[in-house]
Amino acid sequence: MQQRHIVSLRLNSGNEIYGENVNEIDIKVGDAVIVHLEGSYDIATVISEEKIVEDIKPYAKNLCKIVRKVNEQDLQRIKDNKNRAEEAYKIIKKTCFSYEIPIKIAKVEYSFDRTKLYIYFTQERPVNLKKIITEFAHRFKARIEMRQIGPRDETKMYGGIGVCGYELCCSKWIKKFESISVEMAKIQQLSLNIPKLSGVCNRLKCCLSYEYPFYRECVERFPKIGCKVTTKDGQEGKVVSIDCIKELVSIEIKAENGDSVVKSIPLSQLNI
C-alpha cells in the first residue's frame, strides 16, 4: 500500500484541515505553505509534525494538497490580497447598508489566487442574499462564498483579551466549541450572574467547561445539599454546603442548648 505524508494545517479562517505533502518538500511546524483546496489556491500554516500513513480514509474528508512553501513573491501577493480585501470590505459593507440587508459583515478575505472572495457575516434572521452575491461576483470578478458564522466564531476571528487578562482561549487554542450551559456554573457553585459568566462574545464563557468534569465527579461523591448525614463520631446534621477542593462538607448541627452550629467536616469522616 502506498505511503502518504500527512500534516495538520490551519487556514486563515481558523479552520483546521489535513494536507498531503505530495511533493515531499521539507516542511516543519510554523511554515506557511500554498495548498490546493476546493478548486483554488490558498495559504495555510503547518501546525503538526509530518506523519506517514497508509490508510488515507480518516483524512479524506478534510484533505488538500500542499503545493510548496511560501516564497518572497508570495508574501507580496498576500499583502496585496489583504489590501484588496480591506477595500472589498468597505464596498460590501456599504452595499449591504444601502440595500438595507440586515447582516453584519465580520471579515472579507481573498483566496491566494483571488479566484474566490470569502465573506464572513452574522445574521439574526434568514435573509435572501442571491442579489448581492451576483452583484459582488460581477464587481470583484471572483466566486463569492458567503459564510455565516456565530458570535463565538466572530470573536475567535477578531481575537482579544479576556477578563482574566490573557488572550482569548478561542483565538489562541480552542479548535472546536463545546456546548456551554448554566448547569456547568451551578455545579461549580458559581454565582448565576449571567453578565459575569459571559465572555466577549456575549455567550457563556468557554472556560466554564474546563473544570466541569472534576466538579461533576465531585458532586456524585458528596452528599446533596439539604440532606441529613451522620459523622463517624455520631453527630447528626444537615448539609448546607460542600467544598470540592478541600473535600469538606459543612453541616448544620443542633447543639445541646438548642442553638445551631455549622461545622466543616472532612468527607472521609461522614457515613455515606
Side-chain angles (χ1 to χ4, degrees), residues 228-238 251-255 261 263 265 269-271:
K228 292 184 177 181
V229 293
T230 305
T231 65
K232 290 187 176 179
D233 61 3
Q235 297 184 85
E236 195 175 281
K238 183 174 70 173
I251 61 175
E252 184 181 44
I253 299 173
K254 290 285 185 180
V261 59
K263 292 185 178 182
I265 310 295
Q269 297 302 311
L270 294 179
N271 294 320

Side-chain angles (χ1 to χ4, degrees), residues 59-76:
Y59 310 94
K61 188 177 180 181
N62 295 305
L63 185 66
C64 67
K65 290 185 177 180
I66 298 174
V67 180
R68 56 179 168 81
K69 293 170 71 170
V70 167
N71 57 37
E72 290 297 325
Q73 288 181 323
D74 297 332
L75 292 176
Q76 182 56 50

Side-chain angles (χ1 to χ4, degrees), residues 53-100:
V53 301
E54 292 184 348
D55 184 9
I56 202 70
K57 289 182 181 179
Y59 310 94
K61 188 177 180 181
N62 295 305
L63 185 66
C64 67
K65 290 185 177 180
I66 298 174
V67 180
R68 56 179 168 81
K69 293 170 71 170
V70 167
N71 57 37
E72 290 297 325
Q73 288 181 323
D74 297 332
L75 292 176
Q76 182 56 50
R77 186 179 183 90
I78 292 170
K79 184 178 179 180
D80 292 341
N81 286 350
K82 186 176 180 180
N83 292 335
R84 287 177 182 235
E86 288 175 355
E87 289 301 315
Y89 173 83
K90 296 175 184 177
I91 294 170
I92 291 168
K93 193 172 182 180
K94 185 177 179 180
T95 302
C96 290
F97 179 79
S98 63
Y99 286 164
E100 297 184 347

Side-chain angles (χ1 to χ4, degrees), residues 1-271:
M1 189 175 288
Q2 183 184 359
Q3 292 185 330
R4 317 286 278 269
H5 299 254
I6 304 295
V7 295
S8 294
L9 303 169
R10 180 180 289 118
L11 299 171
N12 287 337
S13 63
N15 293 331
E16 293 186 9
I17 59 174
Y18 296 107
E20 183 179 1
N21 189 1
V22 291
N23 300 316
E24 297 186 24
I25 57 179
D26 181 25
I27 54 177
K28 60 182 183 298
V29 175
D31 284 345
V33 294
I34 294 176
V35 300
H36 188 253
L37 176 66
E38 297 178 350
S40 64
Y41 292 91
D42 249 313
I43 301 294
T45 303
V46 179
I47 59 173
S48 77
E49 298 293 339
E50 186 176 271
K51 57 183 175 183
I52 300 175
V53 301
E54 292 184 348
D55 184 9
I56 202 70
K57 289 182 181 179
Y59 310 94
K61 188 177 180 181
N62 295 305
L63 185 66
C64 67
K65 290 185 177 180
I66 298 174
V67 180
R68 56 179 168 81
K69 293 170 71 170
V70 167
N71 57 37
E72 290 297 325
Q73 288 181 323
D74 297 332
L75 292 176
Q76 182 56 50
R77 186 179 183 90
I78 292 170
K79 184 178 179 180
D80 292 341
N81 286 350
K82 186 176 180 180
N83 292 335
R84 287 177 182 235
E86 288 175 355
E87 289 301 315
Y89 173 83
K90 296 175 184 177
I91 294 170
I92 291 168
K93 193 172 182 180
K94 185 177 179 180
T95 302
C96 290
F97 179 79
S98 63
Y99 286 164
E100 297 184 347
I101 298 175
I103 63 174
K104 178 184 176 184
I105 306 300
K107 185 180 180 181
V108 174
E109 65 179 13
Y110 277 99
S111 60
F112 176 72
D113 57 8
R114 291 200 286 267
T115 60
K116 291 181 182 179
L117 182 64
Y118 306 108
I119 302 175
Y120 299 91
F121 69 98
T122 60
Q123 65 179 32
E124 294 184 359
R125 57 185 174 84
V127 180
N128 189 339
L129 302 173
K130 290 183 178 179
K131 182 178 179 179
I132 60 170
I133 290 176
T134 303
E135 182 173 328
F136 292 156
H138 178 73
R139 175 147 195 173
F140 299 113
K141 302 295 187 294
R143 177 181 170 183
I144 305 300
E145 289 201 10
M146 302 291 293
R147 297 186 172 181
Q148 183 179 353
I149 59 175
R152 289 166 126 192
D153 300 294
E154 184 181 16
T155 302
K156 177 182 176 74
M157 195 173 284
Y158 287 145
I161 303 297
V163 293
C164 58
Y166 290 95
E167 182 181 348
L168 294 176
C169 296
C170 59
S171 60
K172 187 174 183 180
W173 63 270
I174 290 179
K175 298 178 182 179
K176 184 179 180 181
F177 290 118
E178 292 185 27
S179 176
I180 310 296
S181 66
V182 175
E183 181 64 22
M184 291 181 174
K186 285 182 179 179
I187 285 183
Q188 295 176 65
Q189 300 177 347
L190 298 174
S191 173
L192 298 183
N193 185 329
I194 299 302
K196 286 190 176 182
L197 292 176
S198 300
V200 177
C201 58
N202 290 323
R203 296 295 186 270
L204 292 174
K205 295 174 184 175
C206 292
C207 54
L208 287 173
S209 68
Y210 298 169
E211 296 180 354
Y212 174 64
F214 165 77
Y215 280 95
R216 184 177 57 187
E217 186 270 337
C218 167
V219 168
E220 291 174 354
R221 292 189 298 110
F222 278 63
K224 292 183 179 180
I225 293 176
C227 73
K228 292 184 177 181
V229 293
T230 305
T231 65
K232 290 187 176 179
D233 61 3
Q235 297 184 85
E236 195 175 281
K238 183 174 70 173
V239 177
V240 293
S241 68
I242 62 175
D243 187 328
C244 290
I245 303 297
K246 297 180 179 178
E247 296 224 331
L248 294 175
V249 179
S250 294
I251 61 175
E252 184 181 44
I253 299 173
K254 290 285 185 180
E256 292 181 359
N257 60 4
D259 294 336
S260 295
V261 59
V262 176
K263 292 185 178 182
S264 292
I265 310 295
L267 179 64
S268 59
Q269 297 302 311
L270 294 179
N271 294 320

